[in-house]
Amino acid sequence: MLDAKVSKLINEQINKELYSAYLYLDFSIYYEEQGLDGFANWYMIQAQEERDHAMLMLKYLQNNGVRATLDAIAKPDKEFSCLMDPLKFGFEHEQYVTSLINDIYAAAYDVKDFRSMQFLDWFVKEQCEEEKNADDMIKKMELFGNDSKGLYSLDAEYAARVYTAPSLVL
Protein backbone atom coordinates (compact mmCIF):
# COMPACT_ATOMS: atom_id res chain seq x y z
CA MET A 1 0.00 0.00 0.00
CA LEU A 2 1.32 3.41 -0.94
CA ASP A 3 1.65 6.18 1.60
CA ALA A 4 -1.27 8.65 1.36
CA LYS A 5 0.98 11.69 0.89
CA VAL A 6 3.07 10.00 -1.80
CA SER A 7 -0.08 8.84 -3.61
CA LYS A 8 -1.53 12.33 -3.45
CA LEU A 9 1.63 13.91 -4.84
CA ILE A 10 1.88 11.38 -7.68
CA ASN A 11 -1.79 11.95 -8.47
CA GLU A 12 -1.22 15.72 -8.58
CA GLN A 13 1.81 15.15 -10.79
CA ILE A 14 -0.37 13.38 -13.36
CA ASN A 15 -2.23 16.65 -13.85
CA LYS A 16 1.02 18.61 -14.03
CA GLU A 17 2.41 16.24 -16.67
CA LEU A 18 -0.76 16.68 -18.73
CA TYR A 19 -0.40 20.45 -18.35
CA SER A 20 3.18 20.08 -19.61
CA ALA A 21 1.82 18.29 -22.67
CA TYR A 22 -0.61 21.19 -23.26
CA LEU A 23 2.18 23.71 -22.83
CA TYR A 24 4.44 21.98 -25.33
CA LEU A 25 1.56 21.55 -27.74
CA ASP A 26 1.08 25.32 -27.52
CA PHE A 27 4.79 25.81 -28.29
CA SER A 28 4.41 23.49 -31.28
CA ILE A 29 1.47 25.50 -32.59
CA TYR A 30 3.44 28.73 -32.24
CA TYR A 31 6.44 27.40 -34.15
CA GLU A 32 4.20 25.93 -36.86
CA GLU A 33 2.67 29.39 -37.32
CA GLN A 34 6.18 30.83 -37.62
CA GLY A 35 7.03 28.39 -40.43
CA LEU A 36 9.47 26.41 -38.28
CA ASP A 37 8.19 22.89 -38.82
CA GLY A 38 11.23 21.32 -37.15
CA PHE A 39 10.77 23.27 -33.92
CA ALA A 40 7.06 22.43 -34.11
CA ASN A 41 7.92 18.74 -34.52
CA TRP A 42 10.32 18.82 -31.56
CA TYR A 43 7.66 20.23 -29.25
CA MET A 44 4.91 17.97 -30.61
CA ILE A 45 7.08 15.01 -29.64
CA GLN A 46 7.78 16.67 -26.31
CA ALA A 47 4.03 16.91 -25.73
CA GLN A 48 3.70 13.18 -26.45
CA GLU A 49 6.45 12.41 -23.95
CA GLU A 50 4.75 14.43 -21.23
CA ARG A 51 1.46 12.68 -21.87
CA ASP A 52 3.27 9.35 -21.55
CA HIS A 53 4.79 10.46 -18.25
CA ALA A 54 1.27 11.10 -16.95
CA MET A 55 0.15 7.67 -18.17
CA LEU A 56 3.09 5.97 -16.45
CA MET A 57 2.18 7.64 -13.17
CA LEU A 58 -1.48 6.76 -13.61
CA LYS A 59 -0.60 3.12 -14.22
CA TYR A 60 1.74 3.11 -11.20
CA LEU A 61 -1.08 4.28 -8.96
CA GLN A 62 -3.47 1.71 -10.43
CA ASN A 63 -0.91 -1.09 -10.05
CA ASN A 64 -0.67 -0.17 -6.39
CA GLY A 65 -4.41 -0.12 -5.75
CA VAL A 66 -4.76 3.67 -5.74
CA ARG A 67 -7.56 5.32 -7.67
CA ALA A 68 -6.33 8.29 -9.68
CA THR A 69 -8.43 11.43 -9.67
CA LEU A 70 -8.19 13.67 -12.70
CA ASP A 71 -8.41 17.45 -12.37
CA ALA A 72 -8.98 20.15 -14.97
CA ILE A 73 -5.95 20.97 -17.06
CA ALA A 74 -5.10 24.66 -17.06
CA LYS A 75 -4.79 26.52 -20.34
CA PRO A 76 -1.19 27.51 -21.16
CA ASP A 77 -0.77 31.20 -20.39
CA LYS A 78 2.53 32.04 -22.02
CA GLU A 79 2.75 34.85 -24.57
CA PHE A 80 5.49 34.76 -27.19
CA SER A 81 7.18 37.87 -28.57
CA CYS A 82 10.12 36.14 -30.25
CA LEU A 83 11.36 32.71 -31.29
CA MET A 84 13.43 32.39 -28.12
CA ASP A 85 10.48 32.75 -25.74
CA PRO A 86 9.17 29.15 -25.91
CA LEU A 87 12.69 27.83 -25.44
CA LYS A 88 13.22 29.87 -22.28
CA PHE A 89 9.74 29.07 -20.97
CA GLY A 90 10.41 25.39 -21.66
CA PHE A 91 13.65 25.43 -19.67
CA GLU A 92 11.96 27.20 -16.73
CA HIS A 93 9.12 24.70 -16.87
CA GLU A 94 11.47 21.72 -16.82
CA GLN A 95 13.24 23.14 -13.77
CA TYR A 96 9.83 23.47 -12.10
CA VAL A 97 8.91 19.87 -12.97
CA THR A 98 12.25 18.71 -11.58
CA SER A 99 11.40 20.38 -8.27
CA LEU A 100 8.03 18.61 -8.23
CA ILE A 101 9.59 15.20 -8.90
CA ASN A 102 12.15 15.89 -6.18
CA ASP A 103 9.33 16.73 -3.75
CA ILE A 104 7.60 13.42 -4.48
CA TYR A 105 10.87 11.56 -4.09
CA ALA A 106 11.54 13.29 -0.76
CA ALA A 107 8.08 12.34 0.49
CA ALA A 108 8.70 8.71 -0.50
CA TYR A 109 12.11 8.79 1.17
CA ASP A 110 10.63 10.16 4.41
CA VAL A 111 8.33 7.14 4.76
CA LYS A 112 10.85 4.61 3.39
CA ASP A 113 8.65 3.91 0.36
CA PHE A 114 11.40 2.18 -1.60
CA ARG A 115 9.03 0.97 -4.31
CA SER A 116 8.01 4.53 -5.15
CA MET A 117 11.59 5.73 -4.92
CA GLN A 118 12.62 3.09 -7.44
CA PHE A 119 9.75 4.10 -9.71
CA LEU A 120 10.72 7.76 -9.40
CA ASP A 121 14.41 7.08 -10.16
CA TRP A 122 13.52 6.97 -13.86
CA PHE A 123 11.80 10.36 -13.64
CA VAL A 124 14.76 11.90 -11.79
CA LYS A 125 17.06 10.76 -14.60
CA GLU A 126 14.54 11.89 -17.23
CA GLN A 127 14.39 15.37 -15.73
CA CYS A 128 18.15 15.68 -15.96
CA GLU A 129 17.86 14.92 -19.67
CA GLU A 130 14.90 17.28 -20.11
CA GLU A 131 16.73 20.20 -18.52
CA LYS A 132 19.87 19.54 -20.58
CA ASN A 133 17.87 19.39 -23.82
CA ALA A 134 16.05 22.62 -23.01
CA ASP A 135 19.29 24.39 -22.08
CA ASP A 136 21.02 23.10 -25.22
CA MET A 137 18.19 24.45 -27.39
CA ILE A 138 18.62 27.90 -25.84
CA LYS A 139 22.39 27.82 -26.36
CA LYS A 140 22.02 26.75 -29.98
CA MET A 141 19.44 29.44 -30.65
CA GLU A 142 21.71 32.06 -29.09
CA LEU A 143 24.60 30.88 -31.26
CA PHE A 144 22.83 30.28 -34.56
CA GLY A 145 19.28 31.62 -34.37
CA ASN A 146 20.01 35.14 -35.59
CA ASP A 147 21.47 33.84 -38.83
CA SER A 148 18.88 32.58 -41.35
CA LYS A 149 21.09 29.68 -42.46
CA GLY A 150 21.78 28.75 -38.85
CA LEU A 151 18.07 28.88 -38.00
CA TYR A 152 17.31 26.76 -41.05
CA SER A 153 19.90 24.21 -39.91
CA LEU A 154 18.47 24.11 -36.37
CA ASP A 155 14.98 23.66 -37.75
CA ALA A 156 16.19 20.75 -39.90
CA GLU A 157 17.90 19.20 -36.86
CA TYR A 158 14.69 19.38 -34.81
CA ALA A 159 12.63 18.05 -37.72
CA ALA A 160 14.67 14.84 -37.56
CA ARG A 161 13.55 14.04 -34.01
CA VAL A 162 11.34 10.97 -33.82
CA TYR A 163 9.06 9.85 -31.05
CA THR A 164 10.20 7.00 -28.84
CA ALA A 165 7.90 5.72 -26.11
CA PRO A 166 9.44 5.42 -22.65
CA SER A 167 10.61 1.96 -21.68
CA LEU A 168 9.91 2.10 -17.95
CA VAL A 169 8.87 -1.21 -16.43
CA LEU A 170 6.24 -0.75 -13.75
Side-chain angles (χ1 to χ4, degrees):
M1 197 70 179
L2 292 181
D3 176 75
K5 181 179 179 182
V6 173
S7 297
K8 180 179 182 284
L9 289 172
I10 292 172
N11 195 81
E12 290 171 356
Q13 190 62 30
I14 292 168
N15 181 268
K16 289 178 171 58
E17 295 292 336
L18 292 172
Y19 172 78
S20 297
Y22 265 36
L23 182 66
Y24 292 141
L25 185 58
D26 195 42
F27 291 3
S28 178
I29 291 166
Y30 169 76
Y31 282 123
E32 185 74 31
E33 291 169 349
Q34 303 306 310
L36 293 169
D37 298 343
F39 282 79
N41 174 65
W42 201 94
Y43 278 110
M44 183 66 71
I45 290 171
Q46 199 63 24
Q48 290 174 302
E49 280 192 8
E50 302 303 339
R51 182 205 60 218
D52 282 351
H53 295 168
M55 296 299 105
L56 288 169
M57 291 181 181
L58 174 71
K59 194 64 176 167
Y60 180 74
L61 290 179
Q62 290 174 329
N63 286 349
N64 285 280
V66 177
R67 185 180 192 286
T69 305
L70 301 177
D71 292 322
I73 301 168
K75 180 182 185 224
D77 62 351
K78 300 297 184 189
E79 297 290 327
F80 312 123
S81 61
C82 67
L83 297 175
M84 181 66 87
D85 284 348
L87 302 179
K88 288 185 176 180
F89 294 146
F91 182 58
E92 291 169 6
H93 185 73
E94 289 302 338
Q95 290 176 315
Y96 169 66
V97 171
T98 297
S99 75
L100 297 171
I101 297 296
N102 289 344
D103 290 345
I104 301 168
Y105 199 100
Y109 179 83
D110 288 345
V111 295
K112 295 184 167 80
D113 180 354
F114 301 112
R115 181 184 333 174
S116 292
M117 289 166 56
Q118 183 179 23
F119 170 71
L120 292 166
D121 282 343
W122 183 88
F123 290 94
V124 170
K125 182 180 175 190
E126 176 71 6
Q127 280 311 119
C128 182
E129 179 184 319
E130 298 288 13
E131 284 188 34
K132 181 176 181 346
N133 287 340
D135 189 44
D136 286 350
M137 290 179 80
I138 291 169
K139 287 176 182 170
K140 288 178 180 181
M141 183 64 102
E142 288 172 345
L143 286 169
F144 309 115
N146 291 324
D147 172 70
S148 58
K149 290 178 184 174
L151 184 60
Y152 181 82
S153 179
L154 282 177
D155 195 53
E157 176 184 331
Y158 298 145
R161 183 181 188 198
V162 294
Y163 176 70
T164 318
S167 59
L168 178 64
V169 177
L170 301 177

